Amino acid sequence: MPLKFELCPGRMIGGNNPCFIIAEIGQNHQGDIEIAKKMIKMAKDCGADCAKFQKSELEFKFNKKALERPYTSKHSWGKTYGEHKRHLEFSHEQYRELQQYAEEVGIFFTASGMDEMAVEFLNELNVPFFKVGSGDTNNFPYLKKTAQKGRPMVVSSGMQSMETMRRVYETVKEHNQNFCILQCTSAYPLEPEDVNLRVIMEYQKEFPDIPIGYSGHESGISITVGAVALGAKVVERHVTLDKTWKGSDHAASLEPEELAELVRSIRTVERALGTGVKRMLPCERPCHDKLGKSVVAKTAIPKGTELTLDMLTVKVAEPKGVAPEHIFQLVGKKVTIDIEEDESVTEDAVDNYGKKAKA
């Protein structure tokens, strides 16, 4: 059984615990704190477990030339990439305000720390867990420092190889036992043929002592539901209030009705996964009682006759007789009463037929 741990206060993940659903608001708030609050409330109303943002300390995430780079995209909020990012970046005080609002609403709140200084702030903010975005998954100094802080971690794996992910696992594990890895492909929006859900199962084999999850950027909800069916214990999807808004992430995000349907579908799939123990269930009893078949006599069988297979057949019968799976165990046994043609062959009509014979 995969490792279980407390990702957020009172909320375990892994094992048979419900899948933890992260609504990734990211920077789809357009730089407007009131929109951000609406999105937190939306995530809660739709049934997500956590509302997540992206926190950067821009001078630590980008070098000067990257910030000065002209940004002429239709999604731009400024003439340079730095102006664009500053428009979308909330202050420390605004993060505290959002955290307080999430607490009032009743949903867990965290953010991806997009650089080491952002992680320092989030640690000070006392978020329940750190999210490591795919862009920092191969940033081993960052991983080590983040793991050493002792908070649970959720690590995306977009743009990485299995060899790198083995190093990620070893690096984090050395300092922090409570983490999970998410299969992720970093394309926005993501085409189904590039999702590679089978990596979830490969991760389960490679890292059997941690929960495995899925971070998706595809359209719709069916692929994410499929990830849960394959055993994803944490899922993350970008969310938006309107896919037509300015910003490159909106097209790969779920609107409120889609997020609500995703949560419902995941919970339905979880109910359907069951225990893995194959047996007749109580709900199947009516069907079995009505249509379940029994061994019946193909011909009249006088008392004392030793049964052969050509005397027997299988039909839906009243009363219920010996179950079809035990028909071969009847061969060679004697009947203790006369059995008419087409009558059920019942257990008490066969000499020495009992539990040992069924074993």
Side-chain angles (χ1 to χ4, degrees):
M1 183 65 70
L3 177 71
K4 298 180 287 186
F5 66 87
E6 189 177 59
L7 183 64
C8 295
R11 182 60 159 86
M12 300 290 291
I13 65 162
N16 292 322
N17 292 288
C19 178
F20 189 85
I21 302 171
I22 300 171
E24 163 68 297
I25 295 169
Q27 295 192 320
N28 281 353
H29 47 68
Q30 314 298 84
D32 186 322
I33 195 165
E34 294 306 316
I35 291 176
K37 289 179 179 179
K38 288 180 182 177
M39 296 184 77
I40 291 172
K41 182 67 163 57
M42 178 269 284
K44 169 64 177 179
D45 290 345
C46 292
D49 294 291
C50 180
K52 190 183 80 65
F53 290 79
Q54 295 174 4
K55 184 71 186 90
S56 299
E57 302 293 344
L58 296 179
E59 284 69 26
F60 291 90
K61 181 179 179 181
F62 301 98
N63 72 2
K64 288 181 180 179
K65 287 188 177 179
L67 290 173
E68 292 167 356
R69 185 177 67 209
Y71 194 50
T72 58
S73 163
K74 64 180 181 178
H75 300 302
S76 173
W77 293 95
K79 294 180 180 179
T80 66
Y81 198 65
E83 288 179 10
H84 167 77
K85 295 301 287 185
R86 287 186 187 95
H87 173 83
L88 294 172
E89 195 65 46
F90 289 138
S91 69
H92 289 192
E93 193 53 44
Q94 287 174 313
Y95 260 87
R96 292 186 180 95
E97 184 178 342
L98 291 173
Q99 183 185 47
Q100 177 61 35
Y101 181 75
E103 186 175 342
E104 292 170 6
V105 168
I107 189 170
F108 294 117
F109 173 92
T110 195
S112 297
M114 309 299 276
D115 55 81
E116 290 182 16
M117 290 306 296
V119 171
E120 292 295 333
F121 168 66
L122 293 173
N123 192 50
E124 176 190 323
L125 202 62
N126 198 29
V127 296
F129 67 92
F130 294 128
K131 169 66 198 301
V132 178
S134 294
D136 281 303
T137 298
N138 61 349
N139 182 350
F140 288 98
Y142 166 103
L143 277 182
K144 180 178 178 180
K145 289 179 183 178
T146 303
Q148 286 175 331
K149 295 191 181 302
R151 296 186 189 276
M153 295 170 63
V154 175
V155 184
S156 278
S157 61
M159 303 179 286
Q160 311 304 328
S161 66
M162 183 62 84
E163 180 181 358
T164 297
M165 293 313 299
R166 291 188 188 105
R167 286 186 61 197
V168 168
Y169 170 86
E170 294 296 340
T171 299
V172 177
K173 191 80 173 177
E174 182 180 354
H175 305 285
N176 192 336
Q177 302 295 304
N178 295 333
F179 71 104
C180 66
I181 289 174
L182 310 185
Q183 161 57 0
C184 176
T185 302
S186 297
Y188 307 81
L190 174 61
E191 295 301 320
E193 55 267 28
D194 294 323
V195 171
N196 210 355
L197 284 182
R198 286 195 175 98
V199 173
I200 291 173
M201 295 180 285
E202 293 305 309
Y203 282 164
Q204 288 166 341
K205 288 187 284 188
E206 287 278 344
F207 318 122
D209 58 345
I210 64 169
I212 300 301
Y214 174 70
S215 176
H217 307 114
E218 72 278 1
S219 299
I221 67 170
S222 57
I223 288 171
T224 302
V225 175
V228 175
L230 290 178
K233 303 301 183 182
V234 174
V235 297
E236 176 186 76
R237 290 296 305 271
H238 284 257
V239 298
T240 182
L241 296 180
D242 188 337
K243 290 185 183 182
T244 67
W245 279 357
K246 183 165 76 172
S248 55
D249 283 350
H250 291 286
S253 300
L254 300 178
E255 290 182 338
E257 61 273 17
E258 293 176 297
L259 177 60
E261 181 56 33
L262 174 65
V263 173
R264 285 192 295 269
S265 297
I266 285 174
R267 300 305 177 217
T268 298
V269 165
E270 287 176 330
R271 289 167 55 204
L273 285 173
T275 64
V277 177
K278 184 59 183 171
R279 59 184 177 86
M280 186 188 298
L281 296 173
C283 65
E284 297 178 291
R285 181 59 62 181
C287 184
H288 178 265
D289 290 346
K290 181 179 180 181
L291 297 174
K293 293 188 174 182
S294 301
V295 178
V296 300
K298 189 184 291 187
T299 61
I301 306 173
K303 177 181 177 179
T305 301
E306 189 173 285
L307 292 171
T308 59
L309 194 59
D310 60 6
M311 299 175 186
L312 307 172
T313 190
V314 174
K315 295 183 178 183
V316 176
E318 290 291 341
K320 290 289 183 190
V322 171
E325 62 262 34
H326 301 312
I327 189 170
F328 299 114
Q329 296 168 9
L330 296 173
V331 174
K333 292 184 170 56
K334 294 182 179 180
V335 296
T336 58
I337 58 173
D338 292 332
I339 302 176
E340 297 298 322
E341 180 183 347
D342 208 42
E343 279 191 343
S344 301
V345 178
T346 59
E347 293 183 11
D348 58 7
V350 181
D351 188 37
N352 197 31
Y353 184 88
K355 293 181 179 177
K356 186 175 182 181
K358 291 188 209 176

